[in-house]
Amino acid sequence: MSDGRTYVESPIIMATVRLVAPFVLTYGLFITLHGASSPGGGFQGGVIVASVIVMLSFAYGIDPTWEWLDKRVLVGITSGGIAVFAALALGPILLGTGGDFLELGSYPVIPNPWKYGIELVEVGIAMTVAGVVIVLFFQLARGAMPPGGSPYAKPSAQRVPSRSRGEAAQPGTESADQSGDETADQTGHEVSDEPVDRTDTPTDADSSATDSGRSTPVDDGSDRPSPADEGDDRR
Amino acid sequence: MITLLEAGLLVFIVLSALMTAILRDVLAAIIVFGAYSLGMAVLWIVLRAPDVGLTEAAVGAGIMTVLLLVSIARTTRLTGIELRPVEINWGVAALCGLFVLAILATVPALPDMGQTVGNPVFGEIYNHYVTMAYEQTHVENVVTAILVAYRGFDTLGEATVVFTAGVAVLTVLRREVDA
């Protein structure tokens, strides 16, 4: 699936992402959970949490990161968020305590039901937003492209002159440039799933601070024979 | 009236918006569009709307730029047109300019920032939210209180829209792959 796709493996980007990712994740969760007391909330926090995954896939390659992700979790948070919100909204009616739809303050037992109800709603929103953004990113980055490269790869040679009509003349040079680029792509950094194993040792040494289990995503992806990916194989 | 910072930000925003429109290179246009969103985010914070600013920074400058970039990643890119503008249709440009001027002409009629007298924003509803929100919901951020407590229906609808739009877009992308 990474035919013709260029993934430049950069130790600098990988080390930076390893260092920054836990803090960005924490910040996203803070924005979500603290949205009741400071600027922020579910929409912003969800996007920031999703950007952690986007960062990881920039550093480790889009396809390995997608394989590392558990798709059931993605579907779970995307629809679970809405379910949490809807359940909280319906709760006051179903409990029969005389509350109206969305009247979070009418929950019994819980102290301060408005505040914690609102926080839970924010968490639900964040789950849905994060799930949608993550899946959207991966579908745009890899799903929309059939195996074997871009749908535009072939017709590009004919397209280039027509798109450069504003420039008046030299379509020949344009297409020559283009073909040069394409061959460079193919012979260049062609990376499948292995680069991970090689890069793991040098980066581990200097990033002991972020050496939690979460920060080595691609290892899991390559060790496992990608069981989660079966259903998502493109036809 | 208007501070130097605000004026600078406004100039930056208008310039980057114009650049987004006239740059021929799509990659350059996307980058300038990200700069535009960043300028907007800073402006929102300067205008004391941190919630909106945070959204603009995270969605507009962050994720939107990434999504646009991965969308064009596999299209072919012409070389040597990085900073070349598109051919401008001056008739259309003049029409747009007239339209902008017509809208700008209404700006002096708006109340000043923070002016409470004769400003419909600072009416009964404003006073109710600001004085009662904490008492009724025990939430310090009045924006969150309004979003979830007072306008819960809207927010539930918004979250559903995000979910539905996501599912719809993914369905379309999947079919494109299959076809």
Side-chain angles (χ1 to χ4, degrees), chain B residues 57-99:
Chain B
V59 178
I63 287 296
M64 199 60 215
T65 310
V66 169
L67 289 185
L68 287 174
L69 281 179
V70 295
S71 304
I72 65 145
R74 296 295 298 216
T75 58
T76 53
R77 178 160 177 250
L78 304 178
T79 48
I81 61 163
E82 280 77 13
L83 291 175
R84 230 176 282 179
V86 292
E87 287 168 49
I88 298 172
N89 185 334
W90 290 107
V92 175
L95 203 63
C96 289
L98 268 179
F99 189 65

Side-chain angles (χ1 to χ4, degrees), chain A residues 75-100:
Chain A
V75 174
I77 61 167
T78 308
S79 37
I82 284 286
V84 165
F85 197 161
L88 277 169
L90 284 171
I93 304 177
L94 298 179
L95 284 177
T97 48
D100 289 332

Side-chain angles (χ1 to χ4, degrees), chain A residues 35-37 40 44 143 145 150 163, chain B residues 55 74 76 139-141 144 177:
Chain A
S37 310
Q44 297 94 325
M145 296 160 200
S150 161
R163 276 210 285 169
Chain B
T55 314
R74 296 295 298 216
T76 53
V139 162
E140 282 101 350
N141 183 358
T144 306
V177 176

